[in-house]
Amino acid sequence: RDRHHPRHERPVPPRHVDPERVARERDRRDVQRLDRYREHGHLVDRHHLAPVGDQVAQEALTDLYDHYYDAAHFEMPSVVTQSLERVILSFEPFRSTGRILDMGFGEGGLLQVAEKHGWKCYGTEISPRSLEYGTNQGWVVTSNAETDARFLSQGFDVVTMIELLEHVPNPQNFLRSAAQWLRPGGVL
């Protein structure tokens, strides 16, 4: 053994990086950051970041959502796709206009399946990367449906919000507001 080479200078084998573990850790940190903002009154409103609270927290939230889907692959595991197939098929009795609105569509899994079943797909999202993806898919997407004339009041057979309500400050008000997009006899 050579005394001139301390133990810490030996080459360290590369560590295996588990991408799913990295994604889970990122999601956990994001949720913790959102919870901290929520505790201090800095909340996300229904279509964009609401100017409530100090500007620094508001900018941090904007940055969080602007980059939330930067590493997304926009591909769903088969088990998720199968579940979404069942959800979409359950909407058939409500089909009249053929339009579905997924509020907070994220990576677009529900809209991908809906499109395969002949639905006209609409979505809201605040992430620029998700909006770009939705546009490239040919869906009608926006960050603010209230100001977008393509989104007709009472114009949708189905309005969905998968994994969204936990991100809004007042779910009851959000649900009441979301109902404006639903046609009479549609499903929320």
Side-chain angles (χ1 to χ4, degrees):
R1 192 170 160 180
D2 187 348
R3 293 182 194 173
H4 299 288
H5 294 305
R7 194 175 180 164
H8 70 280
E9 289 185 12
R10 289 183 184 168
V12 177
R15 271 184 26 190
H16 171 72
V17 177
D18 178 6
E20 289 183 13
R21 182 172 167 240
V22 170
R24 283 191 306 272
E25 180 63 22
R26 181 202 69 210
D27 291 346
R28 184 187 62 76
R29 284 192 314 267
D30 290 347
V31 166
Q32 288 174 338
R33 285 170 51 193
L34 282 174
D35 286 344
R36 280 196 307 272
Y37 297 135
R38 194 172 279 126
E39 286 171 17
H40 301 313
H42 311 291
L43 304 171
V44 177
D45 85 1
R46 44 187 287 178
H47 300 291
H48 56 282
L49 298 178
V52 295
D54 68 61
Q55 187 63 31
V56 173
Q58 212 52 46
E59 289 171 5
L61 270 176
T62 299
D63 184 61
L64 171 67
Y65 279 116
D66 279 352
H67 300 286
Y68 193 79
Y69 290 104
D70 283 358
H73 298 290
F74 296 94
E75 296 174 8
M76 296 295 119
S78 62
V79 67
V80 173
T81 301
Q82 290 169 5
S83 292
L84 294 175
E85 288 275 346
R86 287 191 297 276
V87 170
I88 291 298
L89 290 173
S90 74
F91 297 151
E92 281 304 316
F94 302 96
R95 191 189 292 241
S96 175
T97 68
R99 288 188 296 268
I100 184 172
L101 170 58
D102 188 8
M103 301 181 81
F105 68 87
E107 292 186 54
L110 185 73
L111 294 180
Q112 289 172 8
V113 174
E115 185 175 47
K116 284 190 336 190
H117 288 275
W119 288 89
K120 297 175 215 142
C121 296
Y122 290 71
T124 64
E125 183 55 67
I126 59 176
S127 162
R129 179 125 190 271
S130 292
L131 289 167
E132 178 184 6
Y133 175 77
T135 299
N136 291 340
Q137 295 300 304
W139 305 332
V140 180
V141 297
T142 187
S143 62
N144 189 343
E146 288 188 356
T147 62
D148 191 320
R150 301 171 299 169
F151 289 73
L152 305 173
S153 180
Q154 297 187 356
F156 297 91
D157 297 330
V158 178
V159 176
T160 61
M161 294 171 261
I162 297 176
E163 297 182 5
L164 176 71
L165 289 177
E166 65 270 24
H167 298 279
V168 298
N170 191 329
Q172 286 181 325
N173 286 347
F174 187 85
L175 286 167
R176 273 189 224 102
S177 173
Q180 76 176 315
W181 307 113
L182 194 61
R183 70 163 176 79
V187 65
L188 178 62

